[in-house]
């Protein structure tokens, strides 16, 4: 090929024709678009979270996806003690109870796994699965005692990190662990659902009570209201005769957080129209509730 031919081959006009023959370029993924927008790599988790929030604001990822990403990042900073069900709220079963009594407790609780203890509630003998109890009750010549149905209990410290626990749950196929305090006593329990909820949010099952819409907005004796941050804007508008726009945000929490301009902390206050919102509950991931006052009300 001559030098002239080579120049022609590499000319802009020739390359443009080649590009036309190849057809349109494949659309880039949101991750590729984020990467190309970076002037430098994030060096801290805070930088990464800020980048993801910018991506959500630009419409590259959905709000729900952002929340899950933030949850996944936050899990490595949380310990079992941060999310466990405390001992006072545990539903545990005595090993010496009759099968019928155990069945009643299992049905009333709606849970599927139960710590079983001896005379002392710190003496964990194992974990009973509701399905194992049911099989034991209906089987001919079934087990003579609950001990024969127990599965080994997994004991863990309060200080164990959630990301480590989640990996162990997946590898061992266990769904529950008993949390032990520094003195060797039972401090609580944690399930794989408790860990996953830190990432994906609240997980309801068929045993959870249906959410009462009225419970999202509770009137107080001082004339103010406690409003759950997950209250739909349409429900808030209907309750108070307000006209907040719900095209961009679905919940009161999203609306107020956007108006403040950052993830607010407990005690921060904002006035929108005739409503004064004061953050009454928040964590590192989201706002949970507001105290709301209505201006002009007695």
């Amino acid at each position: 090929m001559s030098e002239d031919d080579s120049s022609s081959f590499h000319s802009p006009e020739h390359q443009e024709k080649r590009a036309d023959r190849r057809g349109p370029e494949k659309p880039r993924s949101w991750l590729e678009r984020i990467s190309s927008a970076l002037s430098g790599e994030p060096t801290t988790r805070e930088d990464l979270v800020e980048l993801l929030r910018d991506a959500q604001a630009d419409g590259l990822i959905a709000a729900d996806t952002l929340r899950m990403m933030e949850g996944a990042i936050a899990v490595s900073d949380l310990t079992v003690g941060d999310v466990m069900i405390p001992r006072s709220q545990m539903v545990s079963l005595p090993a010496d109870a009759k099968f019928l009594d155990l069945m009643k407790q299992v049905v009333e609780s709606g849970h599927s796994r139960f710590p079983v203890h001896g005379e002392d509630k710190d003496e964990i003998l194992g974990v009973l699965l509701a399905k194992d109890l049911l099989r034991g009750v209906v089987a001919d010549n079934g087990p003579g005692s609950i001990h024969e149905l127990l599965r080994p209990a997994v004991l863990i410290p309060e200080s164990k990190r959630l990301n480590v626990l989640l990996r162990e749950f997946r590898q061992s196929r266990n769904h529950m662990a008993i949390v032990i305090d520094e003195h060797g006593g039972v401090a609580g329990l944690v399930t794989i659902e408790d860990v996953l909820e830190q990432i994906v949010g609240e997980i309801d099952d068929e045993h959870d009570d249906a959410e009462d819409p009225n419970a999202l907005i509770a009137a107080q004796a001082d004339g103010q209201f406690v409003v759950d941050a997950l209250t739909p804007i349409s429900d808030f508008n209907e309750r108070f005769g307000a006209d907040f726009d719900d095209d961009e945000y679905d919940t009161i929490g999203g609306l107020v957080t956007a108006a403040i301009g950052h993830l607010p902390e407990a005690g921060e206050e904002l006035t929108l129209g005739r409503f004064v919102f004061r953050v009454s509950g928040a964590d590192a991931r989201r706002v949970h509730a507001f105290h709301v006052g209505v201006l002009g009300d007695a």
Side-chain angles (χ1 to χ4, degrees):
M1 177 181 296
S2 69
E3 184 177 345
D4 291 341
D5 291 338
S6 176
S7 299
S8 175
F9 182 79
H10 292 289
S11 68
E13 293 80 1
H14 183 83
Q15 292 179 23
E16 183 176 350
K17 291 178 181 178
R18 292 177 63 200
D20 290 341
R21 287 198 295 269
R22 286 197 302 266
E25 293 184 3
K26 181 180 178 182
R28 293 182 299 169
S29 68
W30 66 266
L31 184 57
E32 291 171 331
R33 281 182 280 171
I34 290 177
S35 299
S36 66
L38 286 174
S39 58
E41 294 183 357
T43 57
T44 66
R45 289 181 185 173
E46 290 74 18
D47 290 342
L48 178 58
V49 170
E50 189 63 31
L51 173 65
L52 292 171
R53 288 175 179 170
D54 289 343
Q56 191 273 325
D58 291 339
L60 299 178
I61 56 176
D64 287 345
T65 303
L66 172 63
R67 283 194 291 270
M68 285 190 285
M69 288 179 168
E70 289 182 329
I73 294 171
V75 158
S76 60
D77 288 329
L78 297 175
T79 66
V80 168
D82 294 322
V83 304
M84 71 179 185
I85 299 169
R87 175 175 175 153
S88 60
Q89 298 177 22
M90 285 173 52
V91 179
S92 56
L93 305 175
D96 58 358
K98 296 179 180 179
F99 274 89
L100 183 58
D101 292 335
L102 292 173
M103 285 292 292
K104 289 180 179 178
Q105 292 186 61
V106 167
V107 171
E108 288 174 0
S109 73
H111 299 311
S112 58
R113 292 172 174 80
F114 303 85
V116 176
H117 61 82
E119 294 183 5
D120 187 335
K121 287 192 175 183
D122 286 321
E123 182 191 2
I124 300 297
L125 303 177
V127 173
L128 176 66
L129 272 59
K131 63 181 182 181
D132 291 342
L133 177 61
L134 182 60
R135 289 170 184 159
V137 170
V138 302
D140 292 334
N141 300 317
S145 72
I146 199 69
H147 295 268
E148 300 176 43
L149 300 176
L150 298 184
R151 303 193 182 198
V154 177
L155 307 180
I156 60 173
E158 293 182 65
S159 58
K160 182 180 284 290
R161 294 205 171 273
L162 287 192
N163 59 330
V164 176
L165 177 61
L166 181 58
R167 182 171 64 248
E168 293 177 354
F169 272 150
R170 293 176 59 194
Q171 292 173 346
S172 66
R173 295 191 175 183
N174 286 315
H175 286 196
M176 173 187 286
I178 308 301
V179 185
I180 303 301
D181 62 24
E182 57 185 322
H183 305 293
V186 174
L189 66 80
V190 64
T191 68
I192 192 171
E193 181 178 303
D194 297 322
V195 182
L196 293 176
E197 284 185 338
Q198 299 303 310
I199 301 175
V200 302
E202 194 73 20
I203 302 173
D204 292 330
D205 60 30
E206 64 272 22
H207 297 293
D208 292 328
D209 293 331
E211 188 179 80
D212 179 5
N214 296 322
L216 296 174
I217 303 174
Q220 304 297 293
D222 60 1
Q224 294 196 337
F225 299 83
V226 174
V227 178
D228 192 296
L230 296 179
T231 302
I233 293 175
S234 57
D235 289 355
F236 185 94
N237 288 343
E238 182 177 353
R239 176 69 180 271
F240 295 104
D243 58 357
F244 290 122
D245 189 357
D246 60 358
D247 287 341
E248 189 170 358
Y249 301 99
D250 297 324
T251 66
I252 285 296
L255 175 71
V256 176
T257 299
I260 290 177
H262 62 267
L263 185 63
E265 298 178 355
E268 288 194 55
E269 208 170 88
L270 174 74
T271 299
L272 287 177
R274 58 191 180 92
F275 301 95
V276 179
F277 295 88
R278 180 168 58 84
V279 179
S280 59
D283 58 26
R285 293 178 55 196
R286 69 178 184 88
V287 176
H288 293 284
F290 302 97
H291 272 102
V292 178
V294 184
L295 299 177
D297 281 9

